[in-house]
Each structure stands twice: as C-alpha cells, then as structure tokens.
C-alpha cells in the first residue's frame, strides 16, 4: 500500500496541462487564465474627480474664498479649457479633472449663488482627485494561471479585454460499474440499488471547472466494460467507479489493462477509499475510484480535484488544508489516514458519529473532511485539527 | 440616511419567492430545492454485506470453525436459498445477505480449501452487515428550501429522484449608465472608460444561482435610460449601476419614477456604497447600485446576494458573517459602517492599505470584506473582527 501523498505524486506524473481556448469575457468566470494579460492603457486614463463638487486651484483653497464657475466637467464630457485663478468648474465623480485644477471642493463645503461659489466649511487637505493610472497603469499584468473570480472579470473588463484565453475545460468521462446498479428513474430489481456516485461526482467536478459526461452503467462483464471505455473516447480523464477492489467480480482493472492501460498503483493507505487505481490509457488518464458512495466522494475530493487543477494549468499540489478546533474528543486513529465526515462552523468542527462509508445522508450534512493522520493519537475537545472543505 | 440593516429590511419587503420548475437531476447542483423530497424506499433496500468475505451464522463463529460453501451472493445477484448450520456463502461488498446469515467473515480471516473455509484469525465482533435502511428508510425527507450540493445530488440519486423541483433562477437585468462608458472591445474616447461593473456583477450573481443579462449601456439621457428599462422587461430584478447619487446628471431615479417605480430608500449609511435606491417597478424589484466599481461590488455582495437567496425561497436574512483575527492594527472607523477590502488566510485577516472605491486591482486580490461597525474604535493586531467572504 502507498500513502495518499505518494498516490498524488503518481497521479501528477500522469497529467500535463491542457491547451487553451478563447472565450467571451462574460463566460470566463470560474475558468483558469491560460496566458498573462497586460493592460495597454492606464485606469483611470486621466486624473478623475473622486467626488461631486467644484474643481479649483489648491493654492486658493481657504474658508471664505470665492470662485467664478466657468464650466462643467461631467463623466464622459470633460471641460476643455484651462481653469485660471479665481475660477472653478462644476465637476462630477469620475469626470476628467481640467487643466489648472488640482483640488475638488465637495459641494457640501460650498455655498453657491448663481455662478459663484464661496467655501463655507473647512474642505480639509484631501484633493479628492484620483490620478491617472491610480488603479492600474499600462503594462500592469494579470498573471496566469489564475482561477478567474467575479472581481477578476470586472478588472479584465476595465483593462478592455473582451476575449480571454483560458485553459480548456477537462473532458471527464464517468463510468459506474456493477450489475446491482440502475439509473435514477428506473425500477430496481430486488437485489439492485440506484447509481448515485456518477451524479454526485459530476456535480463536484463540474463545479471545479470540468465538463463531465455520465456514461451508461457498465455491467460486470468484460464486453460491457469495454463498451463503456469505448464511449469514453476523447476524454482527458476516464473515471471508473466500483470494480477496483480485489473481489472476484472486479473486472475493471483487467479490462483496462487489456485495452493498454499502464497501471500506476492499486491500493492507498487511507480510509475510506483504499482500493484505487490509476494509469494512462492512450491520451487519457484513467482513475479507478472505489464503489462505496462516500469512498468515491472522498477520493474525488482528495485525488481528482487536484488532478483537475493540474489539467487546468496549476502547479500540481494537494488541496489546501484548513484547521479548526474539535467540539468533542475523538478516539485514536488506526494505521491508515482517515478522512472523517463532519461539520465546521466558525472555526469549530464536529466529527459525526456515523462514519460508515455507505452513508449518503451523513455525507450530505457534512461540509468538511477531518484529516486524521495514520496512528494519530486520541484528540481532545479544543484540539486543532486539519480538514478539507467539502 | 438609513442603516444597512434597515435597507435590507426594506429590500426584503419588496421580494417574494419565485415559482419552481423541474430539472433533470444532473442539472440540479447549485439550485435550490423548492419542495420536500421523500424517499419511497429503504437504502440499502436489503441487508447488505459491508465487505468481501463469507456469510455465516454468527452463533457458529469461532477460530477453527469450518463451513461448507454452498453458493455465492454478489452485488446485483443475491443467493436465493437459506443458509443452514455449517454452511457459508461467498459474499461481496454490497451484495444482499441471504436468509440465515447474520455474520460476514472477512476473506483475510479465513483459509479456503476447494469448497471449505476454516476461520484462522479472530474475526472480532463486527458482523460487517449493513441493515436494510441503514442509510435512509422509506419516508426519509430532504427538506426545502435547500441549496443542493454535489453530495445532495448523490443522495437524491440514491433516493431514485430523476427530476428535481427547484426554484426558478432569478432573471436579473443589469443596466450600466453613463456617457463615459463603452463596452470591452470598443475604443474609448479621451474622456471615456470601459464598463466593468456589469461583467463582474453578472459573474457574482450567476454564481449565486441567477441568470443575469447584461443590457446595453444607458447614456445620460432620459430616452436612453427608458430604452434600457424597456429591454429589462420580464426580469425579476432590474439592477442599474451608476446614476444613483445626487449629481445633476443622475437621471436614473427620475426616469424610474416616471415609469412607475415606487422608491423605497435612497441613501445608506455605509462605506463604500452610500447612494442606493430600491423599489418595485411593475412585477420587478429595482435596485440602483452606485457606480464606483468597488461600491457596486460591495453593494452586490451585501444587498443583492441576500435578495437572490430570498427570491430562491430562503427566509430573508443578511449574509452570514465569519470572523478572523487582525494581522495588523487598524484605525477607528467613522460614523458609517465600513466594508474594508482584505485577505483572509487560515483565520488571519489583513486589511489592505488602499481602500479607495475605484480600485479593481485591490479588489481582485481581496477575498474578504472586513466589517467595521459605525464608530468602531481602533482595533489592535490579534483582535477578532467580522467579515463577509468574497
């Protein structure tokens, strides 16, 4: 058996970043920037007023000073002439600051009478002007790779980037295996259950940027598994679920190897999720996840999400661990790393009592996988533990 | 001026939950469940083996005991006959436990010779059987409203729910206003800048479950603003950006009121974001956000996300605040609630130095809005402060 860390190293050795594609800015949120983007202009492109008020010469600012209003600078429509001594322009937020102006009086600090203003309150020392390039200057660069947030999208818009080069979304083919499985909406026989893993994992992988296809369920016959692999053609990542343990009916590994898969590893020293396999199959990476629902989701979180990130161009790395304090004592762990289901709320984490790897009801209430290292001693209430957010 | 809390109360009074629609399970992640879903079957539907091994009678389990293998129970193919004294069935993980069996011996605890097994290690007291209904029983209910996570999707699949009733996605129309704005990809005039708010807010609102349309930029003329409101027809939420302050060129409120908007409020005691308006306009709720990029995003986070949640059927409530400890001292706050940009990492939060509301470069590095109440005193390094995640 190998450790989770070793298994991840093996997986990363199978993966190289995908190519890129160009998408409209409005579709780029949640995608990964594939190439640096450099601003070709300053923002703001001109010194701009930060307030609604009157633009004047700073040297003349004093309580009681009077100015003659000679024009107006509005957003989109600047004042063209210079502003001289004793003169003011009405100016609005975001408007270009005219030549000669280096101070914007707030309108609430002035008394206006027809075309004259008098400063009637101390305007303070803040000039209320945003210099050209205050936000960014031409040459400012947003570096790739970067997971584009909504605020990055706003920034790219301000940089006048209508099209964005992003990494192609990983094409994932998901194959559930097992004679016991039927699709939701079907009528299961007395020995059958409804397939659940593919639906949960598709949602998880898509939320991480992938484009996941659920393939037909493969039965426990070599021909059925071959058919499923055939339908997976073109995928960057082929993920099978179930059929990866050592039982007499576990045919997936055998069929995959016949089809040319070079197997990387087979068992990982973890709970839940021990049976796991991976290898290259033609142009695709193949990962075999265990069939227990919770084991499949844990392995999806621990192994597949980092692989999706690496395919999207990020440096290969395990998921970031957070930490929180235990709300109750928890007993010592055994020899395998344990990913326990629990719930974190404002820094306090509760390990659920029921940890059986078949319990989707428990999993759906969890928002964290608490990480117990191999042979971790018993932990007390208030102890700091690490977790992965779900 | 009113407080943020009062403004939210006003907003919630304008909102009622949207109707529902039925979507395929594979498209339901991230949507809000609109009606309770009740399981019509037990999961597992039969007592199932938790391991690969041999099913026997518990009363006969002892080191040295021998059993004759009389058949096999695999996942999807149970063993039909009863199992008598001295008999065993080969059984696999997930397979139905046959009549007469109440203990599954792990295969590694047995020595097999042709059709006979002998227990050669202490099998312990765990029967390795998951009783019928161990995960959920018929009648188990997933309650609405609930934001469906990937793991909820897996649970709904296991409950045999192929179609899910979810709240309709809020239709949001976004209108930027201002003669100074051009679309990304256009060539701005010397006094113009690129519109950024609509792109950032669309990404934010869509990630919260909305379906956001960016409408053409409205110029600072009543006719142009009317045209934009006309294009917004059918939206649940019409959001204007800019033109909501008291400047001479702020026409949005005037035009909206001519079109029948009943205005709810106008100014909120907060930084950034003071100018804000809201009201009902026909069947839609209208919200006017300030035009400064950061102010618009802060108000989008503080006001619009809770409105989107309420439209999707959640009980109206402000966003949940988290807390973290300051990495550096920060000066006292003024009389308005301040939402400061910063970055949180493992419970430590850093308030950025540059807080001007025009800085998208600073915003794109932020992942938190630190909440400073009105007249909050100076805070020291290590003090606990509240924040909203971005």
């Amino acid at each position: 058996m190998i450790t989770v860390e070793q298994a991840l190293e093996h997986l990363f050795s199978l993966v190289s970043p995908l190519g890129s594609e160009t998408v409209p800015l409005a579709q780029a949120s949640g995608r990964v920037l594939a190439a640096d983007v450099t601003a070709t202009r300053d923002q703001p492109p001109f010194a701009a007023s930060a307030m609604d008020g009157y633009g004047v010469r700073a040297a003349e600012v004093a309580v009681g000073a009077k100015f003659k209003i000679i024009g107006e600078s509005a957003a989109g429509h600047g004042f063209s002439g210079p502003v001289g001594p004793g003169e003011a322009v009405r100016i609005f937020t975001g408007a270009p600051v005219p030549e000669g102006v280096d101070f914007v009086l707030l309108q609430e600090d002035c008394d206006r009478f027809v075309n004259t203003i008098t400063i009637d309150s101390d305007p303070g020392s803040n000039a209320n002007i945003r210099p050209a390039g205050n936000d960014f200057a031409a040459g400012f660069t947003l570096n790739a790779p970067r997971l584009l947030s909504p605020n990055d999208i706003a920034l790219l818009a301000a940089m006048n980037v209508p099209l964005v080069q992003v990494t192609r979304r990983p094409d994932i083919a998901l194959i559930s295996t097992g004679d016991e499985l039927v699709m939701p909406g079907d009528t299961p026989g007395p020995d059958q259950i409804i397939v659940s893993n593919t639906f949960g994992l598709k949602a998880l992988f898509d939320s991480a940027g992938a484009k996941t296809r659920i393939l037909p369920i493969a039965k426990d016959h070599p021909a059925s598994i071959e058919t499923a692999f055939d339908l997976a053609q073109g995928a960057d990542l082929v993920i099978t679920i179930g059929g990866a343990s050592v039982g007499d009916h576990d045919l997936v590994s055998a069929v995959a190897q016949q089809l040319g898969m070079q197997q990387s590893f087979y068992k990982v020293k973890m709970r839940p999720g021990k049976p796991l396999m991976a290898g290259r199959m033609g142009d695709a990476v193949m990962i075999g996840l265990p069939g227990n629902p919770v084991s499949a989701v844990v392995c999806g979180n621990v192994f597949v999400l980092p692989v999706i990130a690496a395919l999207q161009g990020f440096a290969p790395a395990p998921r970031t661990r957070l930490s929180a304090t235990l709300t109750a004592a928890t007993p010592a762990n055994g020899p395998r790393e344990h990913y326990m289901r629990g719930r974190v709320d404002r820094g306090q984490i509760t390990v659920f009592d029921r940890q059986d790897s078949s319990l989707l009801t428990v999993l759906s209430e969890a928002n964290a996988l608490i990480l117990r290292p191999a042979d971790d001693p018993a932990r007390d209430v208030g102890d700091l533990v690490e977790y992965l957010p779900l």
Side-chain angles (χ1 to χ4, degrees), chain A residues 35-47:
Chain A
D36 295 353
V37 180
T38 300
T40 55
R41 59 199 300 271
D42 293 349
Q43 172 58 28
F46 39 76

Side-chain angles (χ1 to χ4, degrees), chain A residues 324-331 340 347-351 370 372 376 378-386:
Chain A
T325 54
L326 285 172
T327 59
T330 175
M340 305 182 84
Q348 302 280 310
I349 202 159
T350 303
V351 180
I370 296 103
R372 305 293 305 282
D376 193 35
R379 295 285 170 186
D380 214 347
V381 56
D383 280 2
L384 204 66
V385 291
E386 291 191 311

Side-chain angles (χ1 to χ4, degrees), chain A residues 262-351:
Chain A
Q262 288 160 19
Q263 187 169 317
S264 272
F265 63 93
Y266 198 69
K267 279 185 173 186
V268 184
K269 211 172 153 191
M270 69 186 291
R271 276 203 300 166
K274 187 164 89 178
L276 190 87
M277 61 179 157
R280 280 212 73 95
M281 204 160 78
D283 290 335
V285 174
M286 189 229 154
I287 303 180
L289 301 180
N292 259 328
V294 178
S295 310
V297 168
V298 168
C299 290
N301 272 277
V302 173
F303 296 114
V304 183
L305 292 190
V307 164
I308 291 173
L311 284 168
Q312 288 183 101
F314 287 106
R319 288 184 59 194
T320 304
R321 299 172 176 193
L322 303 177
S323 51
T325 54
L326 285 172
T327 59
T330 175
N333 187 30
R336 289 192 279 152
E337 203 169 301
H338 195 176
Y339 291 80
M340 305 182 84
R341 277 70 68 199
R343 197 154 181 95
V344 64
D345 182 26
R346 296 154 188 262
Q348 302 280 310
I349 202 159
T350 303
V351 180

Side-chain angles (χ1 to χ4, degrees), chain A residues 35-195:
Chain A
D36 295 353
V37 180
T38 300
T40 55
R41 59 199 300 271
D42 293 349
Q43 172 58 28
F46 39 76
S49 179
M51 301 299 262
D52 290 342
Y54 299 92
V56 297
R57 291 172 175 245
E60 299 182 299
V61 171
V63 174
K66 279 186 170 20
F67 301 87
K68 186 185 167 202
I69 301 169
I70 59 161
E72 177 181 293
S73 179
H77 309 280
F79 177 77
S80 56
V83 178
E87 295 178 341
V89 288
R90 178 76 170 119
I91 195 166
F92 299 98
T93 306
V97 172
E99 196 191 323
V101 168
D102 55 359
F103 198 97
V104 173
L105 296 163
L106 306 195
Q107 57 198 19
E108 46 269 46
D109 292 337
C110 302
D111 185 44
R112 178 167 176 169
F113 179 72
V114 197
N115 272 337
T116 306
I117 53 164
T118 309
I119 301 179
D120 61 2
S121 307
D122 178 9
S125 59
N126 189 337
N128 301 308
I129 290 173
R130 297 181 175 126
N134 190 45
D135 193 358
F136 55 82
F140 165 80
T141 297
L142 203 64
N143 290 116
R146 179 181 180 97
L147 178 62
L148 294 173
S149 72
N151 294 333
D152 292 336
I153 300 300
L155 176 58
L156 287 169
M159 290 166 74
N160 204 3
V161 178
L163 298 168
V164 192
Q165 201 183 334
V166 294
T167 313
R168 187 165 62 72
R169 294 176 69 183
D171 176 344
I172 301 184
L174 273 182
I175 304 169
S176 270
T177 67
D179 287 349
E180 76 278 23
L181 301 175
V182 300
M183 288 291 281
D186 284 354
T187 306
D191 295 350
Q192 292 186 306
I193 60 171
I194 320 296
V195 69

Side-chain angles (χ1 to χ4, degrees), chain A residues 172-177 198 201 205 212-213 215 229 232 235-242 252 285-289 296 300 304-305 307-308:
Chain A
I172 301 184
L174 273 182
I175 304 169
S176 270
T177 67
T198 42
L201 290 177
F205 299 156
T212 306
R213 303 181 264 147
L215 300 188
F229 278 129
D236 302 303
L237 195 51
V238 179
I239 295 182
T240 61
I241 305 161
V252 175
V285 174
M286 189 229 154
I287 303 180
L289 301 180
V304 183
L305 292 190
V307 164
I308 291 173

